[in-house]
Amino acid sequence: MIKLIFMGTPDFSATVLQGLLDNKEQYEILAVVTQPDRKVGRKHELRQTPVKALAVESGLKVIQPEKLSGSAELEEIISLGADGIVTAAFGQFLPEKLLNAVGFAVNVHASLLPKYRGGAPIHYALINGDNQIGVTIMEMVKQMDAGAMIAQDSIPILDEDNVGTLFDKIAILGCDLLLKVLPDYVAGNIQVKAQDESQATFSPNIAPEEEIIDWNKSARQIFNQVRGMNPWPVTHTTWNKERLKIYQVKEVEGLGQAGQVLEKTKKSLIIGTGNGAIELLVVQPAGKPQMDIVSFLNGLGQKIKVGDSLGK
């Protein structure tokens, strides 16, 4: 039986952890390491990570260091005597001392490395209009997502996909691939492949200014930006001098000034772009809940008129 430390934080990680837990005859999870509980929402409620919730439910030891390097938690993890470490969207670098203390350390990364190293590979795959996305099982090294590759698999990106749907798909893909290759990797039966550094690209966490819709871009670019940030961090524009979050749109035919309301009916609102037009489908006005466009047009949206401009 392989004794593991598992490290991860979001739902993506919890899917991978569940896969390991479902294979108790092969893997023993000695401890789960995840980010500390954080205060979220307007009420600042303390919330545990999805990985912690699953670990607690499964009766596993949970360790939550603010920062691993030089911490007491690091020494505790090393003292457990694990054969190896599996990480999936943990959110921290692993200290070299920890990497040297175990027989192996592998990561489930949501891209076809060396493309999209970093924390937001799924977001960038959508924003850039890629037609496929994948997962890489890789060896952990001190440099971000630069370790040798153990295995890869991919799926197509569909027009109806967004960050949420792809996270779910890639989590399952990554979990299945990890379970398929990990025993052979640990046994030394897989020859790893070094990444081509000349092909490396990066996907840093989305900056606040990237959430703003530039209506001068094409309809396709805006469509990709919106789904590439749904359900988080969410794109937005301004209307009536207040923020209007936009969760879902579709490309439609239309010709007019970028950001201008080209057409308004009781059930639709069409906005001009730099090339083509966008129909708004799901929005969230400032101080209001998320709503479909019909609800918006029946409420605050009654004030919006053909010829009005968004983003100003």
Side-chain angles (χ1 to χ4, degrees):
M1 182 176 289
I2 302 171
K3 296 181 178 181
L4 294 175
I5 302 293
F6 181 84
M7 298 182 169
T9 298
D11 288 317
F12 176 89
S13 318
T15 298
V16 178
L17 174 58
Q18 185 63 63
L20 293 168
L21 290 172
D22 289 342
N23 286 266
K24 289 184 169 62
E25 70 283 354
Q26 281 187 291
Y27 307 108
E28 179 185 358
I29 309 296
L30 301 182
V32 167
V33 184
T34 189
Q35 297 280 16
D37 298 352
R38 305 290 189 195
K39 291 181 180 180
V40 298
R42 293 181 180 179
K43 296 182 179 179
H44 300 288
E45 295 175 344
L46 199 63
R47 185 176 298 174
Q48 58 190 11
T49 70
V51 162
K52 180 181 179 180
L54 176 57
V56 170
E57 178 185 322
S58 305
L60 299 175
K61 180 181 182 64
V62 178
I63 301 172
Q64 295 180 273
E66 191 68 48
K67 185 180 179 183
L68 260 177
S69 186
S71 67
E73 290 92 344
L74 174 61
E75 300 303 323
E76 180 183 8
I77 293 166
I78 292 173
S79 72
L80 294 173
D83 298 316
I85 295 170
V86 172
T87 71
F90 173 46
Q92 293 188 36
F93 285 105
L94 303 195
E96 202 162 358
K97 182 177 182 180
L98 178 56
L99 295 176
N100 292 336
V102 293
F104 65 90
V106 301
N107 180 47
V108 183
H109 183 73
S111 83
L112 294 170
L113 291 170
K115 191 175 187 179
Y116 298 140
R117 295 177 180 178
I122 293 176
H123 293 79
Y124 280 90
L126 284 163
I127 293 167
N128 291 336
D130 292 359
N131 58 18
Q132 72 166 351
I133 192 168
V135 65
T136 304
I137 312 298
M138 52 166 279
E139 293 181 330
M140 294 289 288
V141 294
K142 195 171 183 181
Q143 186 181 349
M144 183 179 65
D145 299 328
M149 300 180 294
I150 300 165
Q152 292 185 317
D153 201 358
S154 64
I155 56 173
I157 296 177
L158 309 177
D159 266 9
E160 55 264 33
D161 278 320
N162 60 29
V163 170
T165 64
L166 283 186
F167 256 94
D168 291 343
K169 291 179 181 180
I170 290 296
I172 294 169
L173 187 73
C175 178
D176 289 347
L177 185 60
L178 175 72
L179 295 174
K180 179 181 177 181
V181 304
L182 188 56
D184 283 340
Y185 171 73
V186 173
N189 297 328
I190 291 181
Q191 184 173 355
V192 300
K193 180 182 178 182
Q195 295 186 42
D196 182 350
E197 291 294 325
S198 69
Q199 298 299 310
T201 62
F202 296 88
S203 58
N205 291 334
I206 302 296
E209 57 270 21
E210 294 177 277
E211 301 167 19
I212 303 169
I213 293 176
D214 178 359
W215 294 103
N216 291 302
K217 291 184 176 180
S218 71
R220 187 65 184 182
Q221 287 175 309
I222 292 171
F223 170 77
N224 286 333
Q225 180 189 9
V226 170
R227 68 192 185 122
M229 298 190 193
N230 178 11
W232 71 92
V234 187
T235 56
H236 60 87
T237 188
T238 52
W239 170 64
N240 202 22
K241 298 183 180 180
E242 291 192 314
R243 179 174 294 192
L244 178 68
K245 291 185 177 181
I246 299 178
Y247 284 82
Q248 188 178 350
V249 301
K250 71 175 181 180
E251 298 173 88
V252 293
E253 292 185 1
L255 184 63
Q257 189 175 342
Q260 188 178 66
V261 178
L262 305 182
E263 181 182 321
K264 177 190 177 184
T265 71
K266 292 182 178 180
K267 295 184 178 180
S268 68
L269 190 64
I270 295 175
I271 313 300
T273 74
N275 183 7
I278 284 291
E279 181 177 348
L280 305 187
L281 299 179
V282 180
V283 301
Q284 184 177 6
K288 301 292 182 179
Q290 183 182 153
M291 62 186 70
D292 61 47
I293 197 64
V294 174
S295 299
F296 173 69
L297 292 171
N298 285 334
L300 284 175
Q302 292 182 47
K303 300 177 183 178
I304 201 165
K305 305 183 298 294
V306 171
D308 286 354
S309 292
L310 302 186
K312 293 182 180 180

